[in-house]
Structures are given as structure tokens and as C-alpha cells.
């Protein structure tokens, strides 16, 4: 039991961070506006959670200009994807164990 | 411990993965309606073809005239089906409180249209060179490939519809001369069948 608990990743404890990673697992690149729309959170909230994931090297940031306006998009790193997969596996195992 | 939280987390992950990568505003009713239009179209086409044979005008002129009529008919059915799909998707998106035109819609459309337009142009070029024998087969096969190619970006049912269309297209290749009936099956019956499945599985809530 404790072995599995170890794989539960604290970084994904938060719903917004969990959401960001879920979206980035199945989409190559997603910009800020779309993330905000999908997750239904405020700018500040989203930005702070993105920062946290960025610090852990789970996501990468791309800054470009679209129609002369700055546009920021994000993608999950390989490291981040692996970490998230492990987290999902751990969640599944925990649920099956307790049944 | 937090068993419920873990379960909720997993459900949230699945929901977000689906919603961010799949176009979920597609309605099964679009398929049912497209199928009905197609069956009506086949009915009219059958009438036109049998009618024209007895008309006493020079043969080649009748042929061209009939061809224009049939192409026009096909075009009208295509437009009606697209318009219907658009209206139902718009309504469903509104009900789901999501935007209809987003990344998932763009992805779906791109992967759908690329094989479809290829097949459409291929068929039109063949018609212009007066090779009529395989038109039904080609349209069914390319339509099936377009569906398979875009199934990843919407409901999985589309994959099975696509595979069915491809099989039907191959059968149509093996049995030339029955094009209209294969069309009735592929664009009519299959649309109604799979559209109905989608409607009962995903729309009626």
C-alpha cells in the first residue's frame, strides 16, 4: 500500500494542475486562452498553477506573436508526461485495491 | 482514505482529455437526417435514370442532361446534409454551453475534408472522362477513409461507420452496375443506423 502512495504525485493534487496536465497529454500545444476556457478558471489562478508546473519541468512555454499580440502556449515535456502517467496508474491501483 | 477523491480525479482527467481533443457537439440526428436525404435522393435518381431512357431525343444529349441532373441532385443532398449537421451541432453546443467552433472542430474538419475532397475530385475527374462504372465505389471508399481518419477527433462510433463504408465500397467495386443500391445502403441505411446509435448513446440525456 505505502508503495503505491509514494507514486501519488503532490503536484497533481490540485484540480487545476491536474486539468492542465490532462489537456496537455492529448494536445500537442495549447494556448493560455484555450486552457482558461477548458478549465473555467481565472487568469491569475491559471497562471500561478502553470508557473508551478513549469518549475517542475513538467511543461514547456512557447512565446510567440499572433497579429502582433503576444501569445503564450504550453506543451507537456516528456518528463511531465511520464510523471502524470505514473500518477494516473497509482490512482487506478488505489481505487482497485480498495474495492 | 480519499478513495472518492481519487475516483473524481480520474473522472476529471478523462473528461478533460475528451473535451479538449474531441468535437463532442456532433449530433447523431445529423446522421439520421443525412440518411433520409440520401434515400430520397436515390429514389429520385432511380426515377430520373429509368425515365430518361424512353425519351426520344438524341442519345448523347439525353446522357449529358441526365448527368447534369444527377450531379445537381447529389450536390443538393450534400448541401442539405452539411446544413443539417451544422444546425444540430450548433444546437448541441449551445445545450452543452460550449463553443461550436474551436480547436477540436478545426481538427475534425481538416482530417475529414482532406480524404473527402481527394475522393470527390477523383470522382469528378473520372466522370469528366466518362468512366462511370466505379463512381459509387470510389465515393463510398473515400468517404469511409475520411471518417476513419477523423474518428479520433469525435465520437468513436464514427470509426465503425467509416469501416462499414469502406467494406461497402469494396463490395461495390466487385459488383459494378449496382452503384445506386450501394449508395442507398452506404449513405442512406448506414447513416440512419449509426446516427441512431449515436443519438441514443450520446444525445438523449
Amino acid at each position: 500500500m505505502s508503495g503505491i502512495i509514494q507514486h501519488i504525485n503532490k503536484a497533481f493534487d490540485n484540480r487545476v494542475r491536474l486539468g492542465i496536465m490532462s489537456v496537455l497529454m492529448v494536445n500537442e500545444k495549447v494556448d493560455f486562452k484555450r486552457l482558461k476556457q477548458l478549465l473555467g478558471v481565472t487568469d491569475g489562478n491559471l497562471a500561478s498553477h502553470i508557473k508551478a508546473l513549469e518549475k517542475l519541468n513538467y511543461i514547456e512555454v512557447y512565446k510567440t506573436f499572433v497579429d502582433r499580440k503576444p501569445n503564450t502556449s504550453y506543451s507537456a515535456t516528456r518528463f511531465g508526461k511520464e510523471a502524470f502517467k505514473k500518477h494516473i496508474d497509482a490512482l487506478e491501483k488505489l481505487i482497485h485495491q480498495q474495492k | 482514505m480519499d478513495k472518492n477523491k481519487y475516483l473524481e480525479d480520474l473522472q476529471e482527467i478523462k473528461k478533460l482529455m475528451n473535451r479538449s481533443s474531441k468535437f463532442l457537439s456532433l449530433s447523431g440526428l445529423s446522421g439520421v437526417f443525412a440518411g433520409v436525404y440520401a434515400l430520397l435522393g436515390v429514389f429520385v435518381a432511380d426515377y430520373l435514370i429509368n425515365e430518361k431512357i424512353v425519351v426520344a431525343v438524341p442519345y448523347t444529349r439525353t446522357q449529358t442532361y441526365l448527368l447534369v441532373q444527377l450531379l445537381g441532385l447529389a450536390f443538393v443532398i450534400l448541401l442539405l446534409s452539411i446544413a443539417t449537421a451544422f444546425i444540430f451541432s450548433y444546437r448541441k453546443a449551445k445545450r452543452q454551453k460550449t463553443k461550436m467552433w474551436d480547436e477540436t472542430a478545426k481538427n475534425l474538419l481538416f482530417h475529414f475534408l482532406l480524404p473527402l475532397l481527394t475522393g470527390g475530385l477523383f470522382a469528378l475527374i473520372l466522370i469528366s472522362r466518362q468512366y462511370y462504372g466505379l463512381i459509387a465505389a470510389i465515393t463510398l471508399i473515400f468517404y469511409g477513409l475520411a471518417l476513419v481518419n477523423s474518428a479520433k477527433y469525435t465520437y468513436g462510433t464514427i470509426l465503425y461507420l467509416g469501416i462499414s463504408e469502406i467494406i461497402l465500397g469494396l463490395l461495390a467495386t466487385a459488383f459494378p452496375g449496382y452503384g445506386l443500391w450501394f449508395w442507398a445502403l452506404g449513405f442512406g441505411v448506414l447513416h440512419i443506423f449509426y446516427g441512431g446509435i449515436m443519438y441514443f448513446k450520446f444525445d438523449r440525456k
Side-chain angles (χ1 to χ4, degrees), chain B residues 39-106:
Chain B
L39 285 181
L40 287 175
V42 166
F43 188 74
V44 174
D46 187 48
Y47 174 80
L48 287 176
I49 291 166
N50 291 324
E51 196 66 354
K52 283 297 174 286
I53 289 165
V54 289
V55 173
V57 262
Y59 181 69
T60 46
R61 245 183 76 198
T62 342
Q63 279 290 80
T64 321
Y65 184 58
L66 174 63
L67 190 68
V68 171
Q69 278 188 323
L70 289 179
L71 278 176
L73 180 67
F75 192 66
V76 167
I77 292 168
L78 184 70
L79 277 186
L80 267 178
S81 304
I82 293 171
T84 307
F86 186 86
I87 290 167
F88 279 121
S89 300
Y90 181 77
R91 278 183 36 188
K92 196 171 167 187
K94 223 174 172 184
R95 218 170 47 234
Q96 293 170 327
K97 294 192 177 70
T98 53
K99 272 196 220 160
M100 184 176 78
W101 185 245
D102 62 1
E103 288 302 313
T104 63
K106 281 178 215 165

Side-chain angles (χ1 to χ4, degrees), chain A residues 35-50:
Chain A
L35 267 180
K36 201 182 127 186
Q37 179 211 334
L38 281 165
L39 300 172
V41 289
T42 61
D43 281 22
N45 196 353
L46 182 58
S48 74
H49 288 300
I50 283 173

Side-chain angles (χ1 to χ4, degrees), chain B residues 37-190:
Chain B
Y37 300 151
L39 285 181
L40 287 175
V42 166
F43 188 74
V44 174
D46 187 48
Y47 174 80
L48 287 176
I49 291 166
N50 291 324
E51 196 66 354
K52 283 297 174 286
I53 289 165
V54 289
V55 173
V57 262
Y59 181 69
T60 46
R61 245 183 76 198
T62 342
Q63 279 290 80
T64 321
Y65 184 58
L66 174 63
L67 190 68
V68 171
Q69 278 188 323
L70 289 179
L71 278 176
L73 180 67
F75 192 66
V76 167
I77 292 168
L78 184 70
L79 277 186
L80 267 178
S81 304
I82 293 171
T84 307
F86 186 86
I87 290 167
F88 279 121
S89 300
Y90 181 77
R91 278 183 36 188
K92 196 171 167 187
K94 223 174 172 184
R95 218 170 47 234
Q96 293 170 327
K97 294 192 177 70
T98 53
K99 272 196 220 160
M100 184 176 78
W101 185 245
D102 62 1
E103 288 302 313
T104 63
K106 281 178 215 165
N107 270 331
L108 176 65
L109 225 53
F110 176 77
H111 289 89
F112 180 64
L113 285 181
L114 196 67
L116 194 74
L117 290 178
T118 309
L121 287 176
F122 187 35
L124 282 178
I125 292 167
L126 284 184
I127 288 173
S128 76
R129 316 209 87 205
Q130 295 173 350
Y131 297 117
Y132 303 125
L134 290 173
I135 298 304
I138 286 162
T139 47
L140 284 169
I141 289 173
F142 275 92
Y143 179 55
L145 290 172
L147 290 171
V148 170
N149 198 41
S150 49
K152 212 166 56 185
Y153 303 99
T154 182
Y155 294 107
T157 316
I158 294 296
L159 178 69
Y160 301 107
L161 173 62
I163 292 170
S164 310
E165 300 282 4
I166 292 171
I167 292 170
L168 210 58
L170 289 174
L171 282 173
T173 316
F175 298 97
Y178 297 95
L180 210 51
W181 303 113
F182 280 107
W183 260 26
L185 272 180
F187 291 108
V189 177
L190 284 184

Side-chain angles (χ1 to χ4, degrees), chain A residues 1-2 4 91-99, chain B residues 3:
Chain A
M1 185 84 193
S2 62
I4 301 168
L91 286 179
E92 275 172 349
K93 271 183 197 146
L94 279 172
I95 288 163
H96 284 300
Q97 240 177 25
Q98 286 168 339
K99 256 179 194 170
Chain B
K3 176 164 71 169

